[in-house]
Amino acid sequence: MIGLSDYLILSAILFSIGVIGVIRRRNLLMLFFATEIMLNAANVAFAALSSFMNDLSGQMFAFFIIAVAASEVAVGLGLLILLYKKYGSLDLDDYTMLKG
């Protein structure tokens, strides 16, 4: 039987993979993917805790996170397309001149 600790370990592993992806990747698209992995890790943890505590608030948080992730992808991919059209690359090192 799969217990709560198994879900939390899975969530921690997914979150660690996402953090490593954010730290190591220099491509903006891969940063978005790594961020999505971290958000999904939080969703797994919220859904598991909600299920084991017989409380729906964790699942509500998971739905909220899914909505935020969807809007982040929509806005982020739009910006990525604009950056790629303007500079021809998605590498973070190419955008060092964009200092505020």
Side-chain angles (χ1 to χ4, degrees):
M1 176 161 175
I2 298 175
L4 177 63
S5 62
D6 297 326
Y7 287 113
L8 294 179
I9 289 171
L10 172 68
S11 175
I13 291 170
L14 284 174
F15 195 83
S16 300
I17 290 171
V19 168
I20 290 170
V22 166
I23 291 172
R24 295 204 42 149
R25 295 291 181 164
R26 305 301 301 165
N27 188 325
L28 284 174
L29 190 59
M30 293 299 147
L31 287 176
F32 273 113
F33 289 151
T35 305
E36 292 297 322
I37 290 173
M38 287 192 299
L39 290 174
N40 284 326
N43 282 341
V44 168
F46 279 132
L49 287 171
S50 172
S51 175
F52 281 91
M53 295 176 72
N54 289 328
D55 185 17
L56 292 178
S57 60
Q59 294 176 15
M60 289 176 19
F61 276 116
F63 282 125
F64 180 71
I65 289 173
I66 289 170
V68 168
S71 62
E72 173 224 344
V73 166
V75 172
L77 287 179
L79 290 173
L80 284 181
I81 290 171
L82 285 176
L83 284 172
Y84 186 76
K85 282 183 178 179
K86 185 168 184 171
Y87 298 108
S89 173
L90 292 178
D91 192 20
L92 281 177
D93 294 332
D94 295 339
Y95 301 122
T96 56
M97 73 280 189
L98 295 178
K99 294 178 182 172

